């Protein structure tokens, strides 16, 4: 070991002329390669800067998509040229040649790749076109917000599934087993999640049949409130006592549904009792006159009063009035206004609203007890 180190030290100290010439030649070559590398690096950086500047200008004049596409194309060209330039400078072009020879493909494979790329681009453009069409329908209020979101997802999934099927068929992949497996999975899911699938199907029916909208006042399954949201599985209702109720969509479709907001008016019924001695026609006309000028009540149709039934202590009259743009608040306001107006009119006209009352009267008859023997008329044995 010491001997080898001594020889190396002597050789480096003496440095014969051939070694010195070889070092000079290698340093000259290395310096030229380094200079060329630095120059090519500067050119690439300058090219990328120019491309970025051109992209910013194109964004303002031509649009963002065209600018981004042009920038990617120019950047790809600069990177490709840079890689080739560096390989030439450092004399490693054989690596590129080997890579290109490994990437050589036949015409059929190239055609498959081009058609696959065309299918992918067509699917992307179709998705953008369909989504824009849905946005236009949503702007015209032909679709609600949630319907638009569902339409987005359904259309995107359908387009992607169709494009994937075409690509798999193009590359010679047998789709029979895939369809059989998908059918088996669908059957298993249908058996294990019947309620979920039923609710989902009912959700699609509600979304496209549109028996109500978000913000409508509905009643379903003894739940009354305002619809706040409609999803694929549930309908969210905010009741008037500030409770949020989630009703499954299958229950909504299977039950009787009342939509109070479907029409632009709602009838409000108020009952009032009058004494049996009261003139019914006069009482009815008083009620009509008292309610027809109320601000919370519509003038058309006019208020109506009918004699409903004979009560225990009064004749029941039913006053029917109509309100516009029905809400629970307007309904309560109308009922309150009608009751106050009727009470004021009856007090002014001297018509009484009787309270329920009972009449207690003694009975003079004697009731038989102990097997039909009347104690009052029985004869004592001592009197015999």
């Amino acid at each position: 070991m010491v001997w080898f180190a001594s020889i190396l030290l002597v050789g480096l100290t003496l440095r014969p002329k051939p070694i010195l010439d070889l070092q000079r030649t290698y340093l000259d070559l290395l310096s030229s390669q380094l200079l060329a590398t630095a120059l090519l690096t500067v050119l690439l950086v300058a090219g990328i800067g120019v491309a970025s500047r051109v992209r910013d200008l194109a964004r303002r004049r031509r649009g963002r998509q065209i600018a981004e596409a042009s920038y990617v194309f120019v950047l790809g060209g600069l990177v490709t040229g840079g890689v080739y330039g560096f390989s030439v400078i450092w004399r490693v072009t054989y690596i590129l040649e080997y890579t290109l020879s490994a990437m050589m493909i036949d015409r059929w494979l190239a055609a498959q790749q081009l058609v696959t790329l065309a299918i992918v681009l067509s699917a992307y453009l179709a998705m953008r076109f369909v989504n824009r069409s849905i946005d236009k329908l949503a702007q015209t209020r032909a679709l609600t917000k949630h319907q638009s979101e569902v339409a987005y997802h359904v259309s995107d999934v359908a387009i992607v599934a169709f494009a994937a099927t075409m690509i798999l068929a193009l590359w010679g992949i047998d789709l029979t087993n895939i369809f059989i497996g998908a059918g088996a999975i669908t059957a298993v899911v249908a058996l294990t999640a019947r309620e979920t699938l039923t609710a989902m199907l009912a959700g699609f029916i509600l979304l496209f049949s549109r028996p109500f909208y978000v913000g409508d006042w509905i009643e379903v399954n003894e739940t009354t409130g305002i619809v706040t949201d409609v999803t694929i599985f549930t309908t969210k209702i905010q009741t008037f006592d500030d409770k949020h109720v989630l009703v499954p969509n299958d229950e909504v479709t299977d039950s009787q549904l009342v939509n109070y907001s479907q029409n632009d008016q709602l009838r409000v019924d108020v009952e009032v009792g009058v004494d049996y001695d009261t003139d019914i026609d006069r009482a009815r006309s008083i009620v009509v006159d008292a309610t027809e000028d109320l601000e919370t009540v519509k003038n058309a149709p006019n208020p109506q009063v009918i004699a409903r039934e004979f009560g225990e202590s009064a004749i029941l009259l039913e006053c029917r009035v109509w309100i516009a743009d029905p809400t629970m608040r307007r309904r309560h306001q109308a009922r309150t206004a009608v009751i106050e107006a009727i009470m004021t009119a009856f007090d002014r006209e001297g018509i009484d609203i009787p309270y329920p009352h009972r009449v207690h009267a003694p009975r003079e008859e004697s009731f038989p007890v102990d097997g039909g023997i009347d104690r009052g008329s029985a004869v004592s044995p001592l009197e015999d």
Side-chain angles (χ1 to χ4, degrees):
M1 191 70 177
V2 176
W3 178 77
F4 178 76
S6 301
I7 293 175
L8 182 60
L9 181 60
V10 172
L12 293 175
T13 304
L14 295 177
R15 285 189 295 183
K17 184 177 181 181
I19 295 177
L20 293 175
D21 294 339
L22 181 61
Q23 289 179 351
R24 293 191 185 96
T25 303
Y26 181 74
L27 290 175
D28 293 340
L29 180 60
L30 183 62
S31 61
S32 62
Q33 288 178 336
L34 291 175
L35 181 61
T37 302
L39 181 60
L40 182 59
T41 303
V42 171
L43 291 176
L44 288 175
V45 172
I48 294 174
V50 173
S52 300
R53 181 62 177 172
V54 173
R55 180 189 61 179
D56 295 337
L57 294 176
R59 279 182 178 179
R60 301 174 183 175
R61 297 182 180 181
R62 299 295 181 180
R64 182 176 181 180
Q65 296 180 351
I66 297 177
E68 294 294 337
S70 302
Y71 177 73
V72 172
F73 180 77
V74 174
L75 189 62
L78 290 174
V79 172
T80 303
V83 171
Y84 180 74
F86 286 126
S87 64
V88 171
I89 292 173
W90 293 97
R91 298 180 182 180
V92 290
T93 55
Y94 63 90
I95 298 178
L96 293 179
E97 294 176 359
Y98 178 78
T99 304
L100 291 176
S101 63
M103 294 175 59
M104 292 298 294
I105 56 177
D106 56 3
R107 295 180 179 179
W108 171 245
L109 186 58
Q112 285 180 318
Q113 292 178 353
L114 291 176
V115 174
T116 301
L117 181 61
I119 293 174
V120 172
L121 292 177
S122 300
Y124 174 74
L125 294 176
M127 291 169 61
R128 288 181 60 86
F129 175 76
V130 173
N131 291 338
R132 288 181 179 178
S133 301
I134 294 173
D135 290 336
K136 291 181 179 178
L137 292 176
Q139 291 176 357
T140 58
R141 295 184 179 180
L143 295 176
T144 62
K145 181 180 179 181
H146 188 72
Q147 288 175 342
S148 300
E149 294 178 357
V150 173
Y152 287 147
H153 296 303
V154 172
S155 61
D156 291 347
V157 170
I159 293 172
V160 170
F162 181 73
T165 303
M166 293 183 62
I167 292 174
L168 293 176
L170 176 65
W171 287 91
I173 299 176
D174 190 8
L175 301 178
T176 304
N177 295 330
I178 297 177
F179 289 148
I180 293 175
I185 293 174
T186 303
V188 172
V189 172
L191 291 175
T192 57
R194 289 177 297 176
E195 295 181 357
T196 303
L197 293 178
T198 303
M200 184 174 64
L201 180 61
F204 280 106
I205 294 175
L206 292 178
L207 289 173
F208 291 101
S209 63
R210 294 184 295 182
F212 53 82
Y213 295 89
V214 174
D216 283 357
W217 171 19
I218 68 171
E219 179 179 355
V220 58
N221 281 348
E222 299 182 355
T223 300
T224 304
I226 304 298
V227 179
T228 58
D229 191 15
V230 182
T231 64
I232 294 296
F233 301 100
T234 59
T235 297
K236 188 175 182 180
I237 301 176
Q238 182 178 1
T239 62
F240 297 107
D241 52 356
D242 290 334
K243 294 180 181 179
H244 294 273
V245 181
L246 291 177
V247 182
N249 287 333
D250 55 339
E251 294 186 8
V252 177
T253 55
D254 293 340
S255 304
Q256 183 178 3
L257 174 67
V258 180
N259 190 347
Y260 295 101
S261 301
Q262 188 69 32
N263 296 327
D264 59 350
Q265 64 182 13
L266 177 70
R267 196 183 79 183
V268 179
D269 299 335
V270 177
E271 291 185 353
V272 59
V274 296
D275 193 82
Y276 275 92
D277 296 333
T278 305
D279 186 354
I280 302 299
D281 291 337
R282 177 169 173 266
R284 290 175 56 199
S285 62
I286 291 173
V287 173
V288 171
D289 294 338
T291 57
E292 62 182 359
D293 294 330
L294 296 176
E295 295 181 356
T296 56
V297 174
K298 293 184 64 177
N299 294 327
N302 294 324
Q304 299 177 1
V305 180
I306 62 172
R308 186 181 181 93
E309 60 180 345
F310 292 100
E312 293 182 356
S313 57
I315 298 177
L316 295 181
L317 303 179
E318 183 178 83
C319 177
R320 299 175 178 178
V321 296
W322 282 261
I323 60 175
D325 298 329
T327 62
M328 182 59 74
R329 178 178 297 179
R330 291 191 180 95
R331 182 182 183 183
H332 290 329
Q333 291 176 350
R335 288 181 61 88
T336 302
V338 169
I339 292 174
E340 291 177 350
I342 292 174
M343 289 185 63
T344 302
F346 279 6
D347 289 341
R348 183 179 63 251
E349 299 294 333
I351 297 178
D352 295 331
I353 302 177
Y355 297 97
H357 59 275
R358 297 179 183 273
V359 177
H360 298 277
R363 293 181 179 270
E364 297 180 356
E365 304 92 40
S366 60
F367 295 94
V369 294
D370 294 340
I373 299 176
D374 191 351
R375 295 289 184 181
S377 59
V379 179
S380 175
L382 297 178
E383 297 178 355
D384 293 338

